[in-house]
Amino acid sequence: MLLEIENLTKVFRGGVRANDEIDLSIAAGEVFGLLGHNGAGKTTLVSQVVGLLRPTAGSIRIDGRDMVADPGRARRLCSFQAQSQVPIDGLTPRQAIELLGQLRGAPRSDVRRRRALLVDALELGEWLDVDAARLSGGVKRLVAFAMAAVAPGRLVMLDEPTNDVDPVRRRLLWQQVRSLADEGAAVLLVTHNVVEAERSVDRLAILDAGRVIAEGTPAELKAGLGAELRLELVIDPRSTELPVSPFGRSVVPVGNRLMVGVPTGAAGPAVAWAESLQRDGAVEEFTLGPATLEDVYVALVGGQEARSAEMEARLDASAA
Amino acid sequence: MQALRSYRLLVTWQALRKKSYLPLMMAVQTLFSLGIVLGYPLLFPTLDRTTIYLIATGAPAISMLSVGLVALPQTVGEAKVEGSLAYMRSLPVPRLAYLVADLTVWLAIVVPGVVLGVLVGAWRFGLDMQVSPLVIPAVLMVALTATCVGYALASTLPYMLTVIITQAIVVLVFMFSPLTFLPDKLPGWLETIHRLLPIQAMGEVTRGTLAPNVFPLPAGAFLTLAVWCVLGFAVTYAAMTRRA
């Protein structure tokens, strides 16, 4: 494994335990997703890897070398796209990308060739020589990604790389993330965009309150949920009771929707049940599809951001 | 070699970042120096010759302090808050190269205004300033000390506290520091404090090298500045390399 993190714990002054005994490992050529809510401890973890924060306990090794003892080496081995915007106002994307490549020690000709490739691949050409102060947030994020990818280290860490990026260029960006891994880098991808992560990562870990609560491939995590299908019910806001699932699987409220786990082979009964709920006016509409990583994520983390107190109360009332 | 290459690239980066407002800042610095040189005589029409010399040679020090202890800490504090300082710290370059590169760009902002202010002051009042060659190390030393101490403030204190302290420094430097007047005009307790702070030494080396025919150059002033300069740099470097 290229990156090995063992028992990593970070406690900030005041006692906030941002990372709690985290174990992770990432191989070269692998895209590893780190998922979690805001405040789950994702950025704290990458900040320790790149040497901006010192762990309270535990170890971080790249290629078997201790990075806690040698943060300078960690910065040389890691390319990092921070969550915050990069300080490039006043520079053009061309200047910013090439400067970063040269600062990473790559020869100027290689940097230019690779910059041209990334600018083409991310369709940034029209902004190549525009002052970054005049660029949108999404284009700046793409430039920041190109800065991290122009002369990539053995480990590339991307903290929310798709924030503010338009859907078309997001796809282009994910292709480039995959290319980085195909060329031999280990990629650590921090995101709370579960849907995109499902399509892009080889393995992932879900972080909640500083702890890893699940780890595996997307397929392994979905299998662990025990439901191969997912019935999404949009609850009528006027209904006072929530439907009780006859399938004995997970039922998770998200906003005004109810995610019901359905076993394979029960698609017919599930549709019939949903249609009856719709006829009774309890449900406005429904969708049946394969279970997604988002279902796993919401089931594990609890949908804390999306779950409304009202839905919780109604769910409790229905269960009682 | 790698450190030099990093330094060159980082100077380019920082200069490009500041290029849009660099000319404006230089112009403001110049006007600042001119404002002091030309404005004081309007407030006090009957100035004696020594006072005019004090104003003309004190203005550059005030100008350098306003950048180093006010503009710089506020800019660095903002960079800390928005996360861009952390980003720069994550780059694979020696932290020393980053710090020296940033200080270089700040010095480039300060020095032109200082030179122009002195020239205009000398011309306006017909001053006979027999400038010493020591003026070059003196100006560099004052500017470097001011920027190092300013950097240390911003690196170690929370942003809002930095802003408040820099506002207090403005009042201290303009009204109660022996830059455009001699220290014996101050109350005894403040005179004692100024013997420890670097501001008085800044005034002494500036006027002692710009007009050595009028003002003495106390040897201890350079030493005081050197101590503060090293202290500021050490605190800043420690803050830049510290992992919380």
Side-chain angles (χ1 to χ4, degrees):
Chain A
M1 288 291 178
L2 184 82
L3 173 67
E4 293 168 292
I5 294 174
E6 283 178 14
N7 198 32
L8 188 71
T9 299
K10 178 64 187 176
V11 182
F12 286 109
R13 262 188 302 182
V16 177
R17 190 171 280 265
N19 287 163
D20 194 1
E21 297 182 355
I22 289 177
D23 292 323
L24 286 180
S25 55
I26 309 176
E30 185 176 38
V31 179
F32 189 95
L34 196 58
L35 273 63
H37 282 334
N38 296 328
K42 310 183 297 292
T43 298
T44 300
L45 189 144
V46 294
S47 297
Q48 289 170 96
V49 176
V50 82
L52 291 174
L53 293 175
R54 177 184 281 278
T56 307
S59 68
I60 301 169
R61 293 182 173 276
I62 296 180
D63 240 357
R65 307 274 297 253
D66 182 359
M67 292 298 115
V68 179
D70 191 355
R73 175 179 279 269
R75 296 203 305 274
R76 287 193 296 278
L77 290 173
C78 299
S79 298
F80 180 44
Q81 179 183 359
Q83 189 177 14
S84 56
Q85 287 289 7
V86 286
I88 54 170
D89 285 3
L91 284 76
T92 65
R94 181 198 302 271
Q95 290 166 332
I97 299 167
E98 291 189 4
L99 268 174
L100 217 293
Q102 290 180 65
L103 278 171
R104 289 201 62 81
R108 184 177 275 192
S109 56
D110 288 1
V111 168
R112 284 189 177 154
R113 182 182 52 75
R114 180 105 177 117
R115 184 264 302 152
L117 189 148
L118 283 164
V119 166
D120 281 350
L122 298 169
E123 297 184 357
L124 288 172
E126 65 182 291
W127 297 291
L128 187 58
D129 293 308
V130 175
D131 188 330
R134 300 211 300 271
L135 299 179
S136 69
V139 174
K140 272 191 193 174
R141 289 301 288 167
L142 290 168
V143 174
F145 169 78
M147 291 166 74
V150 66
R154 301 202 52 205
L155 173 66
V156 180
M157 296 196 294
L158 308 169
D159 197 346
E160 307 286 4
T162 57
N163 277 4
D164 303 327
V165 177
D166 67 66
V168 173
R169 286 191 176 79
R170 278 180 184 220
R171 290 191 172 203
L172 302 175
L173 189 144
W174 289 123
Q175 287 169 10
Q176 290 310 304
V177 170
R178 174 52 60 191
S179 295
L180 284 170
D182 291 345
E183 287 160 19
V187 179
L188 175 57
L189 176 71
V190 176
T191 183
H192 53 231
N193 192 327
V194 187
V195 177
E196 288 183 345
E198 180 170 9
R199 290 196 294 263
S200 315
V201 304
D202 300 311
R203 284 192 308 129
L204 68 138
I206 297 177
L207 219 57
D208 185 36
R211 297 185 75 92
V212 174
I213 56 169
E215 188 186 346
T217 65
E220 285 168 351
L221 292 181
K222 282 190 285 188
L225 191 64
E228 295 80 11
L229 297 173
R230 189 238 353 226
L231 180 64
E232 181 178 336
L233 304 172
V234 179
I235 304 299
D236 188 314
R238 290 162 297 187
S239 85
T240 52
E241 278 191 13
L242 288 180
V244 178
S245 166
F247 302 108
R249 304 283 174 146
S250 67
V251 178
V252 179
V254 179
N256 68 334
R257 298 174 298 157
L258 204 62
M259 306 296 183
V260 180
V262 175
T264 308
V271 170
W273 177 60
E275 281 176 339
S276 72
L277 291 170
Q278 199 173 26
R279 274 196 304 276
D280 295 345
V283 164
E284 286 187 318
E285 58 184 354
F286 65 88
T287 320
L288 183 68
T292 65
L293 190 60
E294 187 179 19
D295 301 322
V296 178
Y297 180 80
V298 171
L300 285 170
V301 180
Q304 289 154 356
E305 288 174 347
R307 188 182 289 196
S308 70
E310 187 198 1
M311 282 293 276
E312 287 282 10
R314 287 158 72 189
L315 195 67
D316 290 345
S318 304
Chain B
M1 201 58 196
Q2 177 60 33
L4 272 179
R5 176 184 152 97
S6 298
Y7 168 77
R8 180 178 59 78
L9 291 165
L10 287 166
V11 166
T12 308
W13 186 332
Q14 296 296 60
L16 285 169
R17 278 184 70 194
K18 293 182 173 72
K19 77 169 189 300
S20 52
Y21 58 94
L22 199 112
L24 190 65
M25 282 191 75
M26 284 180 174
V28 168
Q29 278 310 110
T30 307
L31 286 173
F32 197 84
S33 296
L34 294 180
I36 295 166
V37 168
L38 302 175
Y40 269 63
L42 297 177
L43 283 171
F44 310 102
T46 53
L47 292 172
D48 61 61
R49 205 70 183 147
T50 306
T51 307
I52 288 174
Y53 269 104
L54 275 168
I55 292 168
T57 56
I62 293 178
S63 170
M64 288 184 270
L65 280 164
S66 72
V67 172
L69 293 182
V70 182
L72 183 147
Q74 290 184 1
T75 308
V76 174
E78 283 166 18
K80 238 170 74 170
V81 171
E82 71 188 15
S84 59
L85 191 63
Y87 178 78
M88 299 306 281
R89 290 176 62 218
S90 76
L91 296 178
V93 294
R95 300 269 164 80
L96 189 63
Y98 171 73
L99 189 54
V100 176
D102 207 25
L103 290 174
T104 303
V105 176
W106 280 105
L107 287 182
I109 291 171
V110 173
V111 172
V114 170
V115 173
L116 200 58
V118 169
L119 290 176
V120 171
W123 166 77
R124 167 71 178 76
F125 300 110
L127 301 179
D128 175 26
M129 290 162 70
Q130 297 170 9
V131 179
S132 153
L134 284 175
V135 76
I136 293 171
V139 165
L140 286 176
M141 195 82 176
V142 171
L144 193 61
T145 305
T147 47
C148 280
V149 173
Y151 228 116
L153 274 178
S155 308
T156 49
L157 298 177
Y159 175 58
M160 278 316 294
L161 193 55
T162 303
V163 171
I164 292 166
I165 287 178
T166 53
Q167 298 306 322
I169 286 172
V170 171
V171 177
L172 177 74
V173 167
F174 268 90
M175 305 302 297
F176 303 107
S177 294
L179 294 167
T180 51
F181 55 85
L182 293 172
D184 57 11
K185 295 267 174 64
L186 291 168
W189 62 272
L190 192 52
E191 199 181 339
T192 308
I193 289 174
H194 268 300
R195 278 200 208 104
L196 301 172
L197 292 176
I199 301 173
Q200 181 173 322
M202 289 174 176
E204 286 170 346
V205 300
T206 312
R207 58 178 171 258
T209 54
L210 280 171
N213 49 323
V214 183
F215 301 108
L217 178 58
F222 269 110
L223 186 66
T224 305
L225 278 188
V227 168
W228 275 95
C229 188
V230 169
L231 189 68
F233 192 87
V235 170
T236 306
Y237 186 67
M240 291 288 287
T241 51
R242 192 174 77 93
R243 286 179 290 166

